[in-house]
Amino acid sequence: MSAAEVPLEAQREVIGVVGVGWVGLVTAACFASRGHDVWAMDVDATKVESLSRGRLTIHEPGLPELVAEHAERLHFTTSMEVLANARLLFCCVDTPPTYSGDADLSRVRSVVDQLSGDSEQALVMKSTVPSGTGQSIRRDLPSLAYVSCPEFLKEGSAVDDFLNPDRVVIGADTGDEWAADAVAAIYEPLGGELVRTDVASAEMIKLASNAFLATKISFINEIANVCEEVGADVTEVARGMGLDQRIGRSFLNAGIGYGGSCFPKDVSALKQLAGNSGYHFQLLNSVIEVNELQKRRVIGKLTKHLGSLVGKRIALLGLAFKPNTDDMREASSLVLSARLQGEGASVAAYDPVAHEGAAGLLPSIELASSAEAALQGADAAILVTEWPEFADLDWASLAGAMSRPLILDGRNFLDPEALRAAGFSYEGIGRGSTGRARD
Ligand code: UDX
């Protein structure tokens, strides 16, 4: 269905968004781009002020253009009251992990506490919450309709993911069908399969999806570690495995572990959710442990080449948890830097966009002005984040600028043949000596 064919009522839906972090801002901008009037609320006055002037608070490709283009339909506010006009209130506040590993629902609770329970309004939960949260909110505010509509966008391709979803999950319980219909109507024009289900199942779909993807990554990382023992190449193994449609090629890139604001938190939240209700989710314990160890294995590889790391200069290429984002949450670079410094090395790093976020988290590393500056005089380079520009560096001249031309490719991103031809000792993750560039 094209935008012009969308029922008029759905086109004109006034939408409220609470919390303008990654998910909230993308949701607000994308719905505005589809013709809806959007009121986006956040408690952070500085953020609201900055967004109202068109200055974005995150690095996300395509988002500044979308916000600028649809500014007349996009209103930022610190006031919850102005959201009273919207039938659908999308809750997009964050649910970070607590010390116990459970999801911290305090921000969700504070949104709920500010709602009047207007029977004409629906709370549409985009924040990732444990199964059972919807039921408990519904108990506290019985007149308010409640829809679980988890978000699956990925940072770095968030706008595209939002506007072209694989599927849209809409969970509602008896009595709230009107709200589920309203949510379905505004998503329908985006395409993607609509999965209508109950609230608890919708909540579980989100947690189970992220836990499964994290499991895929930890699985391929363990395969990579075995490949190193037996002389196989994990990129070849993933290629061969991925052609089986039951397996699929995506999320089989071995590396130095997953990070970000979702996988670590959601895997832990699901493990705790199961544990709190008496079920020991054994598999997820291993997924988490493998991921933690994977970040540290790099140190062993370095010492194999360099011996003691005391006084060595190690260059990190990339700091963000993945390319096309400045997000440093749970980035592998954090553990890696701390371990390198713990071994007595000095760390110089370059990331195209993450320096501002990294400065506070990694105060004792050198943030270099370019990849070349980070690599100057280094005893080894570790590719941490596969920013496309790192493939285009003049590696032959960089080999001469380093103290020792050694590269550990933590994302199997670079072309081993080209690096070796440029004079480097190249080591990837789980690759034999003939490793191919990653698919
Ligand atoms: C993830 C989910 O993909 C998304 O659906 C959900 O809404 C939020 O969490 P995101 O955290 O933005 O999205 O990043 P994603 O692209 O999924 O990557 C997560 C981490 O896994 C990154 O650190 C990435 O480097 C790592 N990864 C991913 C691998 O190590 N190997 C892979 O094959 C894929």
Side-chain angles (χ1 to χ4, degrees), residues 67 110 324 414:
V67 169
S110 107
N324 295 319
L414 300 169

Side-chain angles (χ1 to χ4, degrees), residues 169-377:
V169 174
I170 300 172
D173 292 336
T174 312
D176 292 342
E177 290 83 2
W178 71 264
D181 289 345
V183 174
I186 58 170
Y187 269 104
E188 217 147 40
L190 304 182
E193 183 122 4
L194 290 185
V195 181
R196 294 281 294 259
T197 183
D198 57 282
V199 169
S201 302
E203 292 166 338
M204 244 344 240
I205 289 172
K206 167 72 187 197
L207 287 176
S209 299
N210 275 357
F212 184 76
L213 291 170
T215 303
K216 244 183 141 180
I217 298 171
S218 279
F219 179 85
I220 201 67
N221 282 338
E222 289 225 278
I223 293 292
N225 299 341
V226 178
C227 283
E228 286 175 5
E229 297 301 320
V230 301
D233 181 342
V234 73
T235 59
E236 292 294 287
V237 175
R239 188 162 68 98
M241 284 171 65
L243 289 169
D244 184 330
Q245 295 201 352
R246 294 167 301 175
I247 299 174
R249 175 63 185 84
S250 63
F251 280 76
L252 284 181
N253 293 322
I256 49 173
Y258 60 77
S261 64
C262 290
F263 284 174
K265 154 177 96 72
D266 293 351
V267 174
S268 153
L270 180 52
K271 185 190 114 172
Q272 295 307 335
L273 176 70
N276 296 342
S277 44
Y279 182 75
H280 178 60
F281 205 143
Q282 207 160 314
L283 181 61
L284 292 187
N285 279 326
S286 302
V287 170
I288 294 166
E289 194 183 352
V290 168
N291 196 52
E292 286 312 309
L293 293 175
Q294 199 67 11
K295 300 175 196 172
R296 295 159 185 261
R297 275 177 65 86
V298 180
I299 305 296
K301 291 188 175 183
L302 271 185
T303 52
K304 191 180 79 190
H305 289 273
L306 300 177
S308 162
L309 298 184
V310 175
K312 299 284 185 336
R313 175 182 165 91
I314 309 297
L316 301 187
L317 293 180
L319 289 166
F321 84 97
K322 67 173 192 176
N324 295 319
T325 180
D326 57 352
D327 200 340
M328 285 294 297
R329 283 176 289 181
E330 300 288 334
S332 296
S333 62
L334 297 172
V335 171
L336 201 50
S337 301
R339 281 297 307 121
L340 287 166
Q341 290 180 314
E343 294 291 322
S346 67
V347 178
Y350 170 73
D351 188 286
V353 299
H355 283 200
E356 201 180 317
L361 296 165
L362 297 167
S364 54
I365 71 167
E366 175 191 332
L367 292 172
S369 56
S370 64
E372 288 82 357
L375 291 164
Q376 186 70 40

Side-chain angles (χ1 to χ4, degrees), residues 6-24:
V6 181
L8 216 53
E9 204 178 298
Q11 272 189 38
R12 288 200 183 134
E13 189 77 58
V14 176
I15 289 170
V17 172
V18 188
V20 279
W22 230 287
V23 170

Side-chain angles (χ1 to χ4, degrees), residues 142-189:
S143 51
L144 184 84
Y146 185 93
V147 177
S148 167
C149 181
E151 184 49 60
F152 299 99
L153 60 79
K154 301 182 290 301
E155 291 178 20
S157 56
V159 171
D160 196 46
D161 289 346
F162 191 96
L163 293 174
N164 302 289
D166 287 342
R167 80 314 204 174
V168 176
V169 174
I170 300 172
D173 292 336
T174 312
D176 292 342
E177 290 83 2
W178 71 264
D181 289 345
V183 174
I186 58 170
Y187 269 104
E188 217 147 40

